[in-house]
Amino acid sequence: VYARRTPWYTQTDLQLTHAFKVNKNNEAQQLSFSATAINVLNQHAVVADWAGLNSQFTPNSFGQFSIFTGAPFYQQFETGYNPQAVATSSPVLLNSAYGQPNQWQISRSFRVSARFTW
């Protein structure tokens, strides 16, 4: 068990818009075109790591006590304990993906629009 930080999250977006007046008698009438590029440089920063120590495919848990024991369960989980020591001393299957990247920022996307206002 260790504390870690994800790398810097940077994202560059770009938006271009141009409007045309379509009626000389009414300046409020405009036709505009817009293009938006999200994450235009297609950066792939990690935004989350696996945080679960134990495998999700095991019936055991990290606690010494069952949740049905009442007060002893709350005593254990409300006071500090060393999950690494509990993990090595119990038959819990450890998750091999712990600390590995889990989610990345969204990839590049484009949006084009046309708008008429009156």
Side-chain angles (χ1 to χ4, degrees):
V1 178
Y2 55 90
R4 67 180 349 192
R5 295 180 64 99
T6 55
W8 282 83
Y9 182 87
T10 58
Q11 179 171 307
T12 305
D13 299 336
L14 177 68
Q15 181 173 2
L16 300 171
T17 303
H18 189 72
F20 300 97
K21 295 187 188 299
V22 294
N23 188 351
K24 292 182 181 179
N25 297 328
N26 186 353
E27 290 186 10
Q29 290 183 353
Q30 291 184 355
L31 178 63
S32 62
F33 297 97
S34 177
T36 304
I38 298 173
N39 195 8
V40 71
L41 300 178
N42 206 23
Q43 297 157 309
H44 294 289
V46 175
V47 295
D49 295 326
W50 281 102
L53 283 173
N54 60 336
S55 173
Q56 297 176 359
F57 303 105
T58 181
N60 301 347
S61 66
F62 266 148
Q64 298 175 7
F65 305 105
S66 170
I67 193 168
F68 302 112
T69 60
F73 169 79
Y74 289 108
Q75 178 65 32
Q76 178 192 9
F77 283 96
E78 292 297 323
T79 58
Y81 72 102
N82 185 354
Q84 195 169 26
V86 174
T88 56
S89 67
S90 68
V92 172
L93 296 174
L94 299 179
N95 189 352
S96 61
Y98 175 75
Q100 299 298 316
N102 180 18
Q103 295 176 354
W104 291 263
Q105 76 186 88
I106 199 162
S107 61
R108 179 186 313 143
S109 64
F110 295 99
R111 184 181 317 166
V112 179
S113 66
R115 183 186 338 190
F116 179 73
T117 54
W118 65 92

